[in-house]
Amino acid sequence: MNGAEYIVKFLEKKGVDLVFGYPGGVVLFLYDVLGRSSIKHILTRHEQGAIHGADGYARVTGRTGVCLATSGPGATNLVTGIANAHLDSVPILVITGQVGVDSIGRDSFQEADIVGITMPITKHNYLVKELDRLPGVLEEAWNVAREGRPGPVLIDIPKNIFTGTADFPEAVCNLPNRKIPLKNGLTRQLERIAKVLKEAQRPLIFAGGGVISSGAEEALAEFRGYSEIPVVTSLMGKGAIPEEPGGSLGMVGMHGRPAANLALSQCDVLLALGARFSDRVTGNPQNFLPETCIIHVDIDPAELSKNVHADFPVVSDVQTFLKLLLQRLKEENSKPTIQPWLTQINSWEKEFTLSYQQGSLLKPQEIIKEVARQAVNEPIVVTDVGQHQMFTAQYYPVKGKRNFVTSGGLGTMGFGLPAAMGAAFGRPGETVVLFTGDGGFQMTVQELAVMAQYQLPVKVFILNNSCLGMVRQWQELFFKGHYAHSLFTSGPNFVKLAEAYGVKGLQIAKSEDLKVVVQEAFSYPGPVVVECIVDQKENVLPIIPPGGKPNEMLGRWHGEAHVSRLS
Amino acid sequence: MRHTLAVLVENRPGVLSHVAGLFARRGYNIESLVVGETEDKTVSRITLVVEGDERVIEQVSKQLNKQIEVIKVNDITNEETVDRQMLLLKVTADQAARQEILQLMEIFRCRVVDIGRRSLIIEATGDEGKLEAVTQSLRPFGIKELVRTGKVAMVRGPK
């Protein structure tokens, strides 16, 4: 058996039925074997599409995404996508080809030190220089990508490893039993946490992406149902619990929902689940909730007290922790008495609503609301990065499991379209809604070809404001309206562009057309691109200026037309 | 404050760059780093001296622990340890000064490992304080070249 055959057999054994990739010189041997296997290969039109595709696939399925690329430029084109998956803790196995072992270090054709380049942006990476290490590395890499806090793992494989033949030994992986986080002390910690929660007057659950990666959605819903403690989420935690009464108050942070941010600023006990207190949530971490007792649960010990001091650090996966804590609360028959707190939050929700002003031009918010209104069967919602992403986070109430896909940590423009493509492959037959901007869409537009080829049911809504909206907004607010290089003075005809790829193209320019066109997009079975011409001057509000506290929101309050600071 | 970390890692190519890279990208300062094989050939030991407060050192340890090839991280700063560094020092030594230098080196229990026409190479082993003292005592004669290893350390007793 040669190395290439071993790799393909390994992937089949792990149940991989779909990979995203792009062939090239040194991986031809691998592709030759792959092409004869049962594994489906999606040929994207750029390696970045392949890595974001694997990312979207992994996020909506909970399985490990697999991505292939050739050496040199093939590998370096993956870099952005790997960093993206790393910051959002998405399990991806990346296999890159490398020039033959004898050619390494000679600046050979299409040689790049991808292991060196991706060292800081992978959970771990490998260069396989000896054939007999291949089985062990594959097995270990597969486990590393999934276990504990998930993340991308890269294996760089020189050409001669693909072609070399050997009697491969049975792979052994000694990882899982080597560094399991210590479970001792959890019982004692649970006891103290149960007491703190019981005595809390204004407790709040802050759900992060870890709730979703540990599959704790039901556990969270049950815990919330029993304890009645209100829930807010981070951007990555959006969708961990339905955004409806009795579910989540919405996203907190820089562009969070007002009631959610107010609840965050006033809570006396914060139960943070699988969240990493990013600067978009905390502002200046030194000023973040100094009086609040913070219980921080994370599978990754390095997250505890990294950004914000945890009064109760807990190393555990969220699901296990929530089940144990709920059990404990039920046994003690205790729950916090928090009626006044709930009443307070209720009144905030009524008083400080999200609002925007209707005008002659189409507003991005009304499109998102209309799409959400018409969507049936809880579609997967994907975003790119920028204003439309924040509007979606604010206005689209996501329901259902693993139904929200967004580039949280890295904020990667160009993520949306290929991620939506990957999501559609991950959950065949389900509708995918993508909100994107005219900027980000043009960064990875080539993947429309894949959508057309497979007739993927992806509904792309381009909120076209002819500018880089978030950049423009910051220039308006913090650079005295000096719009340096953020306004597009020319752009493509998006409808014709979609049609050129064989994708249906539609356009909305006026509010009165909104309902009909969204309907048309949903009723058409295959991919659709809907260009929505929106008001360039619309800003994402509320906004907490950089470094501000959760309650220091700028927004329009009580129906006023002008923007003011809440406190 | 300075902390000494004893880090057991797998003895494989690339491990050192994973560890060093971690320090660079997280903005931690390494004062010294020594790596070498241990009694087990598959395991290397990295002795690190890092500057930072408790919070920083806790993060350093946790981040090191996250590295796949890192087997164990021990902060031995507050342990009873034997620690050693080595110093090679080339000092100007004409006939007149030579005797005095040799006497000084006798006091410090250092060894002279090379004799040139106008210079000597001194080898000194010891903890930081001793090496500092050796260097100071030789400074008046004129130090031509100096090279030092980082610190290696071992916890005393059966542990």
Side-chain angles (χ1 to χ4, degrees), chain A residues 26 71 97-101 103-105 108-111 157-160:
Chain A
V26 299
S71 65
Q98 181 56 276
V99 298
V101 169
S103 308
I104 290 178
S108 308
F109 178 64
Q110 294 197 326
E111 183 189 355
I157 304 179
K159 187 175 155 185
N160 58 301

Side-chain angles (χ1 to χ4, degrees), chain A residues 119-120 123-126 133 140 144 149 175 178-179 300-302 304-306, chain B residues 10 12 14 17-18 25-26 55 58-59 62-63 65-71:
Chain A
M119 212 167 262
K123 193 170 167 193
H124 194 48
N125 61 17
Y126 304 85
R133 277 200 66 211
E140 187 175 291
V144 168
R149 178 181 183 171
L175 265 182
R178 204 173 67 194
K179 272 197 284 188
D300 179 0
L304 305 172
S305 298
K306 183 183 84 180
Chain B
E10 285 173 27
R12 274 201 193 149
S17 49
H18 270 127
R25 70 175 174 274
R26 297 259 173 201
R55 219 182 67 86
E58 188 186 324
Q59 262 298 307
K62 283 172 168 177
Q63 294 294 349
N65 253 317
K66 266 174 80 167
Q67 296 295 313
I68 303 300
E69 300 122 329
V70 170
I71 299 163

Side-chain angles (χ1 to χ4, degrees), chain A residues 441-442 445-446 448 462 491-505 529:
Chain A
F441 178 77
Q442 290 185 77
V445 64
Q446 73 284 343
L448 281 180
I462 306 172
N493 179 325
F494 287 100
V495 174
K496 281 189 181 166
L497 181 61
E499 284 166 353
Y501 275 106
V503 171
K504 190 177 177 63
V529 168

